[in-house]
Amino acid sequence: MGHPRKALRTTTVGAVSATLIAGSALGLAPTAQAADAVRFVDIAGDGGTLLKANVITPAGADGARRYPLLVLPTSWGLPQVEYLAQAQKLANSGYVVVSYNVRGFWQSGGEIEVAGPPDTADASKVIDWALANTPADSAHIGMAGVSYGAGISLLTAARDKRVKAVAALSGWADLIDSIYSGRTQHVQAGALLDGASLVTGRQSAELRQIFDNFYASNLSKEQDMIDWGKKRSAATYVDQLNKNGAAVMMANAWGDSVFPPNQYADFYEKLTGPKRLEFRPGDHATAELTGLFGLPNDVWSDTERWFDHYLKGADNGVDREQPVRLKSRTTGGYEGYPDWKSVGATRKKIALSGTTTIHTNVDSGADGGIVFLSSILDQLAQAPPVASIPLLPRHWAAVWQSEKYAGAQQVRGTARLHTTLTPTKESGTLVAYLYDVGPLGLGKLVSHAPYTFHGRTPGKPFGVDLELFSTAYDVPAGHRLALVVDTVDPLYIEHNPSGARLTFSSPANDPSYVSIPLREQ
């Protein structure tokens, strides 16, 4: 009967490739002849694993001079033509560009290693190949990628000191803090990655087991999963990355439902070399998407400027700009900051007074939306998930509100929840939501985050500290902020036993609050 999954993969790669090639041709038609034609090549990766790749060199390159090299590993589930439009553009401006399909996906060999040691070894092998087979300059090497390619680029820069500059777009620095933040499985994000890899690649037995344990909430394997993820996180190797001195640019979207922004911001603060951090509205990889089709795109423009300065030595001012650059979800234009801690320089607390008990196992109507769809709607139409705050059933949702604000509140950075929780069972999950509430009580989602606990003594209170996902959102004058806590959200796996209740209190010696970061006026 043949192999239907292989046939589907072949059909899909043809469709995706045709779309990207057509887009690149349309986007770059006026200058398409400036670079040499793309060459499709086979490269032997680590252990001889076949890597399907393409290479573009500057027009007229004859070996008499050397050019900076850029290596672009593909995103999770996308074929090797993913970066063709940008590769042509970069080659036009004087780079040798090699893009390759990471092992385990499409026509490359091997199995999916999820940015494990074989993947970074592959990237080094691609660099070796380029230095031997193209007019690439061994002293000026950069790596860039979107999503999976971003993670591999950061990890390779920590392990291969030849990499002098990185642009990591919509990637991760801490894999566990991305898909298991608050000790809670981000199930929609995980299922999306799982499904894409089943269609477009070949999962290793180890990866299949990781996914199965993830879905099953197998606590006996939790530490194994954490160790597996740490091994694949640039945050684990930040000291080595700093020692190597690569210039690191990172860009992400506020609503990234696969790799939330907090883990990038935390990692950015630990970098000691040249660095840049950019956040924009959108979801996973949506901010960079138009650039993949050769259309004007801020993220890719900044990426090229980054490489021009740190690989070519161009005096384009990118090193003199404020290194942290944000774009609000509600207003146009970019804001610059000297560092991440300056983003939310002022904080206001909303007191979470009184004692409130909620029942579990029922979605109150407050939720984080749908993976990809909700944040894309927010990006394109400023339409985040909404909830009627007065109508939320207090049986299943705890609600606290601020007073009406006389002036606009520019929320910037990471809101923090501190409360005291008393459970009736040893395990449980809560999800905290911050809403912008208008005069009619309709709340627009500003941020949220999940939190799960295990092994607690029923009836015994304990402190909860939770960072909500970082954001930039302007609350209009006359509106309020509301904190809502419930126990069920389709984005996450919840761990509330049947009939469980959660009680939130605010002891006099340890009052509960949510701390709101605000832009300094």
Side-chain angles (χ1 to χ4, degrees):
M1 293 181 64
H3 301 278
R5 188 157 67 92
K6 184 177 180 181
L8 176 60
R9 186 160 59 237
T10 302
T11 302
T12 307
V13 73
V16 175
S17 300
T19 302
L20 288 170
I21 291 172
S24 66
L26 289 171
L28 295 173
T31 58
Q33 300 304 313
D36 283 348
V38 60
R39 289 191 293 128
F40 292 91
V41 299
D42 293 343
I43 298 176
D46 185 51
T49 298
L50 172 68
L51 302 175
K52 289 292 185 177
N54 59 69
V55 57
I56 308 179
T57 55
D62 56 7
R65 60 168 292 195
R66 295 283 164 177
Y67 300 88
L69 169 66
L70 294 178
V71 174
L72 312 178
T74 52
S75 300
W76 186 271
L78 287 185
Q80 60 162 305
V81 295
E82 174 187 4
Y83 303 115
L84 190 56
Q86 286 301 320
Q88 288 177 326
K89 187 172 184 293
L90 290 163
N92 290 345
S93 62
Y95 292 93
V96 173
V97 186
V98 180
S99 175
Y100 71 97
N101 236 137
V102 293
R103 66 168 56 216
F105 284 102
W106 300 110
Q107 274 67 49
S108 285
E111 295 178 324
I112 301 169
E113 296 287 344
V114 195
D119 286 307
T120 53
D122 283 346
S124 292
K125 290 288 188 181
V126 172
I127 292 172
D128 294 341
W129 182 92
L131 295 178
N133 294 277
T134 73
D137 184 348
S138 61
H140 299 89
I141 298 172
M143 289 189 67
V146 175
S147 184
Y148 196 36
I152 291 174
S153 295
L154 282 174
L155 285 161
T156 303
R159 293 174 176 173
D160 191 330
K161 62 183 180 182
R162 294 177 297 179
V163 179
K164 304 301 183 186
V166 173
L169 315 178
S170 288
W172 79 92
D174 188 325
L175 190 57
I176 294 302
D177 199 35
S178 295
I179 62 173
Y180 195 57
S181 72
R183 211 178 175 187
T184 309
Q185 298 98 320
H186 297 211
V187 66
Q188 286 190 15
L192 186 71
L193 295 172
D194 187 7
S197 64
L198 286 171
V199 172
T200 64
R202 296 167 299 282
Q203 293 184 354
S204 65
E206 179 186 42
L207 176 57
R208 185 65 261 157
Q209 191 61 57
I210 289 290
F211 273 125
D212 290 345
N213 290 338
F214 178 82
Y215 296 136
S217 306
N218 189 343
L219 289 179
S220 69
K221 298 294 184 180
E222 182 183 39
Q223 191 58 51
D224 290 344
M225 182 183 71
I226 291 172
D227 293 342
W228 175 88
K230 297 279 183 199
K231 190 176 182 180
R232 290 158 170 80
S233 299
T236 303
Y237 312 102
V238 66
D239 290 343
Q240 188 60 46
L241 183 58
N242 286 333
K243 181 179 178 181
N244 289 349
V248 177
M249 170 184 156
M250 300 186 296
N252 204 354
W254 293 121
D256 194 316
S257 49
V258 181
F259 303 128
N262 301 46
Q263 46 93 32
Y264 246 18
D266 291 344
F267 181 69
Y268 173 84
E269 289 291 89
K270 297 173 184 175
L271 294 173
T272 58
K275 57 184 180 178
R276 184 180 178 97
L277 180 67
E278 301 183 352
F279 285 127
R280 298 173 174 82
D283 205 308
H284 185 62
T286 62
E288 302 90 351
L289 184 60
T290 57
L292 295 178
F293 295 95
L295 301 173
N297 182 277
D298 289 352
V299 186
W300 286 104
S301 294
D302 285 349
T303 295
E304 185 172 355
R305 293 175 63 229
W306 190 253
F307 287 135
D308 283 350
H309 180 74
Y310 288 103
L311 296 182
K312 289 182 177 180
D315 185 14
N316 56 16
V318 72
D319 58 319
R320 296 189 294 274
E321 295 172 355
Q322 297 274 49
V324 176
R325 298 185 64 77
L326 314 179
K327 193 171 187 179
S328 170
R329 291 163 47 203
T330 49
T331 57
Y334 288 92
E335 303 165 5
Y337 300 85
D339 48 37
W340 176 250
K341 66 178 178 290
S342 299
V343 171
T346 302
R347 284 191 169 268
K348 287 185 180 179
K349 289 183 178 180
I350 299 173
L352 310 181
S353 57
T355 299
T356 303
T357 298
I358 60 174
H359 295 248
T360 63
N361 309 118
V362 174
D363 188 343
S364 70
D367 63 56
I370 301 171
V371 65
F372 275 117
L373 178 61
S374 296
S375 291
I376 291 174
L377 285 173
D378 187 36
Q379 176 184 4
L380 299 179
Q382 294 185 12
V386 298
S388 175
I389 305 304
L391 297 181
L392 288 175
R394 276 21 180 203
H395 194 68
W396 293 296
V399 180
W400 298 268
Q401 295 191 73
S402 71
E403 298 297 323
K404 287 183 180 180
Y405 293 113
Q409 306 294 297
Q410 295 181 307
V411 179
R412 298 290 187 274
T414 309
R416 299 189 180 100
L417 166 65
H418 174 74
T419 189
T420 296
L421 174 63
T422 305
T424 59
K425 304 290 185 179
E426 67 168 13
S427 296
T429 297
L430 62 89
V431 187
Y433 308 89
L434 187 66
Y435 283 100
D436 161 24
V437 185
L440 299 179
L442 186 66
K444 294 183 177 181
L445 188 63
V446 177
S447 184
H448 79 285
Y451 177 89
T452 293
F453 61 89
H454 296 287
R456 293 291 178 175
T457 302
K460 183 177 180 178
F462 64 93
V464 171
D465 288 285
L466 176 63
E467 288 193 346
L468 278 61
F469 299 138
S470 303
T471 194
Y473 184 100
D474 292 8
V475 179
H479 286 212
R480 308 171 187 263
L481 281 170
L483 182 81
V484 175
V485 179
D486 73 1
T487 63
V488 176
D489 190 306
L491 289 171
Y492 310 107
I493 292 178
E494 54 97 3
H495 301 265
N496 296 295
S498 179
R501 297 184 304 279
L502 302 178
T503 297
F504 302 92
S505 58
S506 183
N509 63 344
D510 186 20
S512 296
Y513 60 85
V514 59
S515 174
I516 309 298
L518 299 174
R519 184 184 182 188
E520 193 168 19
Q521 300 298 309

